[in-house]
Amino acid sequence: MSRRSPNLLLHCVFCAVRSDADPGELRFVMAELEALRAVVEGMLDFRHGPNRDYEAKSEGHPYGFVIAFRDRAAHMSYDGHPRHKAAGARLVALCEGGADGIVVYDIEAE
């Protein structure tokens, strides 16, 4: 019997970016988060972009990103990294209600 590898962790973040937020600042934050792939072992992919809301179920979150991590340990390395904390603080400042304007789902994908 083969041993099954741990599930991939998908870190899904949905942001209520303010309508008056500086688009350049948002691009900077996304670039900073993406750059962590080079320093966080097990951070496999980073994708971000505008929410098209084709099903009309998430209009309050016009932007988001998804990060694929090899496992929970890689996610924890990312979460504790000083560059993540700095970029996260800047992202919070861009969102309606600050941290309350950010929804996070961490999905263990098979």
Side-chain angles (χ1 to χ4, degrees):
M1 181 189 302
S2 67
R3 188 169 198 198
R4 190 168 180 198
S5 62
N7 292 340
L8 183 74
L9 182 68
L10 298 175
H11 180 64
C12 309
V13 180
F14 310 102
C15 305
V17 176
R18 296 187 333 267
S19 60
D20 67 339
D22 177 4
E25 177 69 1
L26 182 59
R27 281 190 302 274
F28 175 82
V29 169
M30 292 301 117
E32 283 294 294
L33 293 175
E34 185 169 20
L36 285 166
R37 283 185 70 192
V39 295
V40 174
E41 185 178 337
M43 183 174 167
L44 307 174
D45 196 17
F46 177 87
R47 303 289 173 120
H48 66 95
N51 175 15
R52 297 300 181 214
D53 194 22
Y54 296 124
E55 296 180 19
K57 293 185 176 192
S58 56
E59 68 181 89
H61 296 87
Y63 206 86
F65 61 92
V66 177
I67 304 173
F69 291 101
R70 179 186 58 228
D71 53 25
R72 174 72 170 129
H75 175 248
M76 291 180 68
S77 292
Y78 161 86
D79 191 52
H81 198 283
R83 286 177 65 185
H84 165 255
K85 292 185 180 296
R90 292 175 84 152
L91 182 60
V92 164
L94 292 170
C95 291
E96 293 285 348
D100 289 339
I102 300 173
V103 175
V104 177
Y105 284 78
D106 290 316
I107 299 169
E108 284 188 347
E110 295 183 21

